[in-house]
Amino acid sequence: MSRPADGPGEDRGTPGGEAEEPPAGRSGGPGAVRASGGRRAETRQRLYRAAADLIAEQGFAATTVDAIAERAGVAKGTVFYNFGSKEALFAGLLDHGIERLAGALAEVARGPATSPVAVLDALMLAQLRFFDEYGPFARVLLAEMWRAAWQDAVLRLRTSVLAVYERVLADAVAAGELRSGFDTGTAATAVFGMVLTVAIERRALRPDQPVEDVHATLAELVHRRISP
Amino acid sequence: MSRPADGPGEDRGTPGGEAEEPPAGRSGGPGAVRASGGRRAETRQRLYRAAADLIAEQGFAATTVDAIAERAGVAKGTVFYNFGSKEALFAGLLDHGIERLAGALAEVARGPATSPVAVLDALMLAQLRFFDEYGPFARVLLAEMWRAAWQDAVLRLRTSVLAVYERVLADAVAAGELRSGFDTGTAATAVFGMVLTVAIERRALRPDQPVEDVHATLAELVHRRISP
DNA sequence: TGTTTTGTACCGACTGGTCAGTTCAAAGAA
DNA sequence: TTCTTTGAACTGACCAGTCGGTACAAAACA
């Protein structure tokens, strides 16, 4: 093997790691860390988007790395340079999406304090809008959420997304708007799953229906406005 | 091959078809049809169950026919003898499950006529119980429901399962329990997705919690009993 | 009655193709 | 100079589907 002198076989520089940051030259050069101010980040974004699109259509296993690279407009080698493996790319995609969703919901929850029911409403709308914008990600999440392989991601989903719902429901209990003893954990999952399902269905089957209409229906379902 | 004169190459007996019934000897021998009293049907059942288990864990593409055959305790050839292809096996599995679920819900809807809200309650409980019993199928359905490849099955799901929910919601509108103009289609999907998600979550994370408790939470969420 | 034929159901080694991941020299960017 | 990307060839594992063949029960026949 011709490899010059790169240390014992194993892998060469192998940059693709978990790190969101660039690999950080092991030479410790100080300036090197911040590195290519965003070129690499942009490549990763493109790969995330391409992967989400394809995996939403075909599933993880059926989607080839070649196809992802082609759709993203990069060379196959770039995928492995950036992520190291197909699985790591996917794990990164899940994390990235969950983080954004959690951010969107947390922002709503931080908003001007009104009644818990109003906040719940706003959360559902925010989730609906998020999945409307990132439809492929919604499908990927739905399909892969319960696979044992990605339990880490599911855990993050629970602690960062479902927790927002659960907190609001707990507030509602505290405010006397829900019976005390109400199972806020199950209800949080229920609302999340409801919104996720409807968001996907709307995109797939009724793209013309305004998100706001769908949201109104869900709001009516979930609280007392149900009554005529 | 010893088969006498079976026509030009193409496929030989190629039994694996859609038919639920045995292929039925073309010689028309009357007794032959009932054939080996359900042996084949039982093999198919075993294959359905094995496929559902494995696909729930790993997804369709990642599940090999070899693995399905092994888990079912049959030879690989038998899978192709019975279904013709991996895809056809999966399509059969979806159909089979949807048919059973639709049957369970339709039976509830046919029951003694009470208020629409009570029927909605009963439907949710029935769906919860069904997915509790056929957990792997629930996960398969959730994960694969939106893939373009299985649109036929989704259509059947809509016309035979979601329609039951939609009808009850329409009854509720007619009975004045919901505002007229309420979007029963979206709401039906919402309820279905909510129950599906919660059923999977319960099985995966809280297997000890009684289904009835989960149902009570959902019931409170969905209609006016929400109020303290 | 015993024997032969027929068709169903199943078996499992084998094949042809596919794909994740590797390697590497060279070019572009910062 | 160093980091990042390119592009194309290569490998080794893996897998859907095939096909020659077996087992067996129920006709059909003698």
Side-chain angles (χ1 to χ4, degrees), chain A residues 158 176 179 201 220 222 226, chain B residues 158 179 201 220 222 226 228:
Chain A
R158 298 191 66 78
R179 163 178 71 76
E201 195 236 20
E220 288 187 69
V222 165
I226 276 189
Chain B
R158 298 191 67 78
R179 163 177 71 75
E201 196 237 20
E220 289 187 68
V222 164
I226 276 191

Side-chain angles (χ1 to χ4, degrees), chain B residues 24-225:
Chain B
R26 51 213 171 308
S27 51
V33 176
R34 259 264 41 96
S36 45
R39 183 175 167 210
R40 193 173 179 181
E42 199 205 319
T43 298
R44 288 187 177 193
Q45 286 300 322
R46 289 226 303 280
L47 284 170
Y48 281 151
R49 176 162 286 261
D53 286 355
L54 291 168
I55 294 175
E57 286 163 23
Q58 315 170 338
F60 173 76
T63 300
T64 69
V65 173
D66 290 84
I68 295 172
E70 188 186 348
R71 158 109 38 145
V74 304
K76 186 180 189 176
T78 302
V79 177
F80 290 94
Y81 177 76
N82 275 280
F83 292 99
S85 73
K86 184 187 177 187
E87 288 217 351
L89 161 59
F90 185 65
L93 168 64
L94 281 183
D95 273 3
H96 184 248
I98 288 172
E99 200 173 319
R100 290 176 73 127
L101 173 58
L105 295 195
E107 191 176 352
V108 167
R110 259 201 314 278
T114 48
S115 78
V117 168
V119 176
L120 181 61
D121 247 29
L123 284 177
M124 291 196 298
L125 182 57
Q127 187 188 337
L128 218 38
R129 288 199 167 124
F130 180 86
F131 285 141
D132 191 59
E133 186 168 5
Y134 303 100
F137 177 72
R139 283 172 57 176
V140 168
L141 194 61
L142 187 71
E144 307 286 343
M145 194 164 33
W146 297 104
R147 295 249 196 290
W150 324 115
Q151 283 310 300
D152 275 16
V154 174
L155 202 70
R156 268 186 290 276
L157 184 73
R158 298 191 67 78
T159 58
S160 67
V161 175
L162 290 176
V164 178
Y165 275 113
E166 194 164 355
R167 208 168 304 126
V168 170
L169 289 166
D171 287 350
V173 170
E177 295 183 16
L178 284 171
R179 163 177 71 75
S180 94
F182 182 73
D183 180 352
T184 54
T186 295
T189 302
V191 174
F192 180 79
M194 177 179 81
V195 176
L196 180 50
T197 308
V198 168
I200 292 173
E201 196 237 20
R202 190 192 84 56
R203 262 187 70 113
L205 270 50
R206 333 175 170 199
D208 296 329
Q209 187 174 36
V211 184
E212 285 71 20
D213 289 6
V214 173
H215 174 251
T217 300
L218 297 184
E220 289 187 68
L221 244 195
V222 164
H223 40 264
R224 296 183 237 164
R225 302 189 208 152

Side-chain angles (χ1 to χ4, degrees), chain A residues 36-101:
Chain A
S36 46
R39 183 175 164 212
R40 197 173 174 181
E42 199 206 319
T43 299
R44 289 187 177 193
Q45 285 301 322
R46 289 226 303 280
L47 284 170
Y48 281 150
R49 176 160 288 259
D53 286 355
L54 291 168
I55 294 174
E57 286 163 25
Q58 314 169 336
F60 172 76
T63 300
T64 69
V65 173
D66 291 85
I68 295 172
E70 189 187 349
R71 160 106 41 142
V74 304
K76 185 181 181 179
T78 303
V79 177
F80 289 95
Y81 178 77
N82 276 280
F83 291 98
S85 75
K86 183 187 177 187
E87 287 217 352
L89 162 60
F90 185 65
L93 167 64
L94 281 184
D95 272 4
H96 183 249
I98 288 172
E99 199 174 321
R100 290 177 72 127
L101 173 58

